[in-house]
Amino acid sequence: MRRCAWPLLRLSARAGLALRHGGAVRLRPAAASSSSSSGGGGGLRAPDTSLFVPVPLKPVEGAAEEDVGAELTRPLDKGEVLKNLNKFYKRKEIQRLGTENGLDARLFHQAFISFRKYIMESSSVSADLHIILNDICCGAGHVDDLFPFFLRHAKQIFPMLDCMDDLRKISDLRLPPNWYPEARAIQRKIIFHAGPTNSGKTYHAIQRFLSAKSGIYCGPLKLLAHEIFQKSNAANVPCDLVTGEERVYATEDARQASHIACTIEMCSTNTPYEVAVIDEIQMIRDPARGWAWTRALLGLCAEEIHVCGEGAAIDLVTELMYTTGEEVEVRNYKRLTPLTVLDYALESLDNLQPGDCIVCFSKNDIYSVSRQIEARGLECAVIYGSLPPGTKLEQAKKFNDPNDPCKILVATDAIGMGLNLCIKRIIFNSIVKPTVNEKGEKEIDSITTSQALQIAGRAGRFGSSFKQGEVTTMHRDDLLQLKEILSEAVPPVKAAGLHPTPEQIEMFAYHLPDATLSNLIDIFVSLSQVDGLYFVCNIDDFKFLADMIQHIPLNLRSRYVFCTAPLNRKEPFVCTTLLKFARQFSRNEPLTFDWLCRHTKWPLAPPKNIKELVHLEAVHDVFDLYLWLSYRFMDMFPDAALVRDIQKKLDDIIQIGVCNITKLIRASQSEPLSVALEVPGERRARSLRAYRSATRQEDLKSHGRGSLANRLLREGLLTQEMLRQLESEWQDQRRNGRYGLASKRNDQSNG
């Protein structure tokens, strides 16, 4: 005879829960204290549960004879079970108890949907759950008795509920100085060399670096590290060069030198030095790379730390060093040569003079301006960010050479640091620049005071043939705003960047083994706690790569390394190649020189148009990526020396293209210029600037007559594709009465 209940099992299942009686004992696991304190006096913020991805739990599939619960009671009526499950979900007491156990409304709903699906689709459930469900259906139990089983299921699909306290401890970033015990074990002397561009601040720090028994220079660019590497060895101070792609030894026997010049991400926090130099310290606020400056400042084991940069970072560095018990000595420097903001704009490229540098903020502007200059019979050098370092140096050398006919430079803000240039006058082609904010969002805004000073300060470099510098704008309308920007004080740097370490992510993965790396990072950042002196750096690029290679089987440490690879995610060819690298790596098949040549179609010919030049730059980035990975996985990327050789040859090929850039632009006129290089907001801003430029610049008239559209097409400021789109939109708006009374009514209704 079947029974309605099995008392012992039912009693066990109900342990700790008696909601219908006054003396209820509430289930409160470890996660509950975190959850409750997050909204109360503990000061912890509630986790962003939208990031909690449920682990799929498959319904039980088995033969009916294996259903122990049915043998003890009777088979379940799934219709009655469904009704009672829905009653359970609607109970306010159950929802409140879920909240106390870390299940907010979102998680509670997701957990219930999964719990209901599991019960309804399983051929059998555990004996204790079966008995409770049977009791409820028979009227001998209450739906509240399901809560222990529901909570157990919720913890299975959301494992973070059971370890929230541990996850919070791992992601606690409130005491970064404690991450570097070796640095805390010594008393360091901090010297801040503060001053504008061309004030000699870095020079004085480097002199101390050269006189020390051992030292390390940490800079933001390979070009800067390479410059110190050369200067040091030229001064008979053996110095190694360490970048993300390679280590170049000062001596032929490959012994480690006492001095190192490196990119800041590559500095060692375990090696003791007498002197360390941290250049461009204001970049500690950089949304993407600021963590590297924070790590160097807090973690370098050096008796003297010489920090160089803007005075705007003095207060933050002083506060950071106060937390380590170290004092900061500030040495202020003034600009060595005068810098004058002119009272007139250039207005026409006919007014260019030897030593002029036109600063643009996009490749398309670079292409357009350089073509207009050479159309006037002038020769110009070109420098922009995605050019290889060797090409940048060659273009700088060409511009600096007094015997070279090239007297004009067209460049992006890439000239702001890392290159020594003999510039007399800086001319801002625009004062609007696309930027990425701390949230990773793209914005179009006027350049900051810091950026304007950094770029303008390149004019009239001390020791060059120009004893003073000048700065102005291309357009008259921009000049007043530029003067206002330059006259403003640089806002103080308020916070230093931080980034989760591989060790922290590994500990997270131990607790959440089924989470993807992208999801791990998201949860880490959402739970992380920082004090007012720090912020967590933007991780969008990391997450982009993590999602891209998620389907490839890699161990966590290797996956993390691939995701920190320095590449521009706007370059499809480079991203696709990284994917191929990861896939080959996962098969444990070495990526040989021959393999790389096949996939990049090496050898390559000089470019015939801009599109081919852009592709060559992407191939150069792929070679950089190979070298970067070879530095970390030498056995899997074994042919670094061969790749370095062909990269130098590719550099020469790109130089040929850049030297003939106006020919490439002309060859590209039959094709649309690469509009994809610009972010959407920048494209709209460019159209406005193109219209303004076309209507007010006299030099456009000298390039032919005809309609405005034809002139813009000829100047490279507009493409056929953009023109067709504008025509289509204009016709649609005319048909819809956009410019008539209907427009006003629509605007009013929208308002």
Side-chain angles (χ1 to χ4, degrees), residues 705-715 718 723:
R705 300 181 183 133
S707 69
L708 172 62
N710 287 337
R711 294 207 305 275
L712 292 177
L713 285 168
R714 197 157 39 244
E715 296 300 336
L718 192 66
L723 185 59

Side-chain angles (χ1 to χ4, degrees), residues 448-659:
T448 64
T449 300
S450 177
Q451 291 167 339
L453 289 170
Q454 185 84 18
I455 297 167
R458 308 307 287 178
R461 176 173 164 266
F462 181 76
S464 72
S465 55
F466 302 112
K467 303 304 179 186
Q468 66 176 31
E470 298 172 346
V471 59
T472 186
T473 59
M474 176 66 75
H475 310 300
R476 191 184 307 168
D477 295 354
D478 292 336
L479 185 55
L480 182 60
Q481 190 176 353
L482 177 65
K483 287 184 176 182
E484 291 175 0
I485 292 171
L486 290 172
S487 65
E488 293 173 358
V490 178
V493 181
K494 295 181 179 178
L498 296 174
H499 193 281
T501 65
E503 293 76 20
Q504 289 168 324
I505 298 304
E506 279 183 340
M507 286 190 282
F508 247 58
Y510 172 79
H511 290 289
L512 307 174
D514 296 307
T516 66
L517 180 54
S518 177
N519 192 226
L520 284 175
I521 288 285
D522 272 337
I523 296 173
F524 184 98
V525 173
S526 76
L527 293 177
S528 64
Q529 303 170 67
V530 295
D531 68 23
L533 295 177
Y534 301 96
F535 68 93
V536 179
C537 285
N538 182 276
I539 53 169
D540 282 355
D541 287 344
F542 184 98
K543 285 175 54 186
F544 172 81
L545 296 180
D547 289 334
M548 188 175 72
I549 65 171
Q550 180 56 42
H551 65 286
I552 298 175
L554 295 168
N555 65 58
L556 183 66
R557 182 59 73 115
S558 297
R559 189 180 299 278
Y560 184 95
V561 171
F562 271 90
C563 292
T564 55
L567 58 79
N568 183 354
R569 59 176 172 168
K570 294 179 186 176
E571 296 180 350
F573 181 73
V574 183
C575 294
T576 302
T577 306
L578 177 70
L579 194 60
K580 292 177 180 177
F581 283 173
R583 191 176 290 118
Q584 185 88 344
F585 183 94
S586 71
R587 299 181 188 130
N588 204 30
E589 298 175 3
L591 290 100
T592 63
F593 176 74
D594 291 338
W595 184 96
L596 184 64
C597 289
R598 280 198 312 275
H599 284 79
T600 57
K601 298 181 180 177
W602 180 265
L604 296 163
K608 298 182 180 66
N609 51 46
I610 291 295
K611 184 178 178 181
E612 290 185 10
L613 176 61
V614 170
H615 178 68
L616 291 181
E617 292 168 6
V619 175
H620 193 280
D621 288 345
V622 166
F623 292 165
D624 259 347
L625 181 60
Y626 183 98
L627 294 173
W628 189 89
L629 289 165
S630 75
Y631 196 71
R632 289 147 183 82
F633 305 112
M634 295 181 188
D635 54 336
M636 295 300 292
F637 295 83
D639 294 329
L642 294 172
V643 173
R644 201 167 284 115
D645 287 341
I646 63 171
Q647 189 181 43
K648 290 175 183 175
K649 294 176 182 177
L650 178 57
D651 207 332
D652 293 337
I653 294 171
I654 292 173
Q655 285 180 40
I656 294 171
V658 173
C659 288

